[in-house]
Amino acid sequence: MTKKTDINTAFLLMAQYGGKAVIPVEDICRDYFRHLTPTMLIRKVSTGELDLPLTRMEGSQKAAKGVHLQDLADYIDVRRAEALAELNRR
């Protein structure tokens, strides 16, 4: 019998990122999208290839960009659900 354990992704991300609410794009690339540069990640979000909302700290195009911790947690949880569904189809 397999025991199911629920892990709160947002809580784990809070620990990983020291309680930051918004995680810089550079950190997201380093930790989760190593195959992308920050510029490429921003482009993929802008074109809709990645369903991950970016937060700008100001309205300026040059403003720092990041991903809200809960949005990243939701993204990771959706990707996990997709992976589990694929596994269960086998």
Side-chain angles (χ1 to χ4, degrees):
M1 182 170 158
T2 304
K3 181 181 177 191
K4 183 178 183 327
T5 304
D6 290 327
I7 297 174
N8 186 318
T9 306
F11 181 75
L12 294 173
L13 289 173
M14 278 190 271
Q16 179 178 355
Y17 292 107
K20 290 181 186 176
V22 177
I23 305 154
V25 168
E26 294 78 14
D27 294 349
I28 299 293
C29 286
R30 179 194 66 223
D31 297 336
Y32 293 99
F33 295 94
R34 289 180 181 228
H35 61 291
L36 299 176
T37 64
T39 302
M40 291 171 64
L41 179 97
I42 292 166
R43 186 177 310 128
K44 283 185 172 255
V45 168
S46 297
T47 62
E49 292 179 63
L50 276 176
D51 190 21
L52 191 62
L54 285 181
T55 301
R56 282 195 171 102
M57 300 319 300
E58 293 182 56
S60 166
Q61 289 289 344
K62 293 183 179 184
K65 296 170 190 74
V67 177
H68 189 276
L69 184 135
Q70 187 61 55
D71 293 332
L72 180 58
D74 293 344
Y75 180 84
I76 291 170
D77 288 343
V78 166
R79 300 298 298 170
R80 178 178 182 260
E82 291 171 353
L84 288 173
E86 182 180 332
L87 178 65
N88 289 332
R89 283 192 294 269
R90 294 182 194 164

